[in-house]
Amino acid sequence: MSQAGRSDFAEYVDPTTGGARGARRFSWTAALTLDLLCTQAVR
Protein backbone atom coordinates (compact mmCIF):
# COMPACT_ATOMS: atom_id res chain seq x y z
CA MET A 1 0.00 0.00 0.00
CA SER A 2 1.28 3.49 -0.75
CA GLN A 3 2.15 6.07 1.89
CA ALA A 4 -0.95 8.03 0.85
CA GLY A 5 -3.18 5.06 1.64
CA ARG A 6 -1.40 4.29 4.92
CA SER A 7 -1.87 7.91 6.03
CA ASP A 8 -5.62 7.85 5.24
CA PHE A 9 -4.87 10.32 2.43
CA ALA A 10 -3.59 13.01 4.78
CA GLU A 11 -2.88 16.49 3.45
CA TYR A 12 0.82 15.78 3.85
CA VAL A 13 3.15 13.28 5.50
CA ASP A 14 6.02 14.05 7.88
CA PRO A 15 9.16 13.12 5.90
CA THR A 16 11.05 12.05 9.02
CA THR A 17 8.48 9.90 10.80
CA GLY A 18 6.05 9.10 7.98
CA GLY A 19 3.23 10.26 10.25
CA ALA A 20 0.09 11.78 8.77
CA ARG A 21 -0.17 15.55 9.17
CA GLY A 22 -2.82 18.10 8.26
CA ALA A 23 -6.35 17.25 7.14
CA ARG A 24 -7.33 13.63 6.48
CA ARG A 25 -8.91 12.54 3.23
CA PHE A 26 -7.63 15.75 1.68
CA SER A 27 -8.43 16.30 -1.98
CA TRP A 28 -5.87 18.33 -3.89
CA THR A 29 -8.15 18.18 -6.95
CA ALA A 30 -11.01 19.80 -5.04
CA ALA A 31 -8.68 22.36 -3.45
CA LEU A 32 -7.21 23.31 -6.83
CA THR A 33 -10.66 23.56 -8.43
CA LEU A 34 -11.91 25.84 -5.67
CA ASP A 35 -8.78 27.98 -5.97
CA LEU A 36 -9.18 28.31 -9.73
CA LEU A 37 -12.88 29.15 -9.44
CA CYS A 38 -12.17 31.75 -6.76
CA THR A 39 -9.34 33.27 -8.81
CA GLN A 40 -11.56 33.54 -11.90
CA ALA A 41 -14.37 35.18 -9.90
CA VAL A 42 -12.05 37.92 -8.64
CA ARG A 43 -10.92 38.98 -12.10
Side-chain angles (χ1 to χ4, degrees), residues 1-13 18-20 24-26:
M1 181 182 265
S2 71
Q3 187 63 32
R6 284 190 296 274
S7 70
D8 198 23
F9 294 94
E11 184 175 359
Y12 62 98
V13 177
R24 301 301 189 272
R25 299 185 183 272
F26 191 79

Side-chain angles (χ1 to χ4, degrees), residues 36-43:
L36 291 172
L37 288 171
C38 195
T39 302
Q40 290 175 0
V42 173
R43 290 183 188 184

Side-chain angles (χ1 to χ4, degrees), residues 20-36:
R21 300 288 182 252
R24 301 301 189 272
R25 299 185 183 272
F26 191 79
S27 173
W28 282 108
T29 305
L32 178 59
T33 300
L34 290 172
D35 183 56
L36 291 172

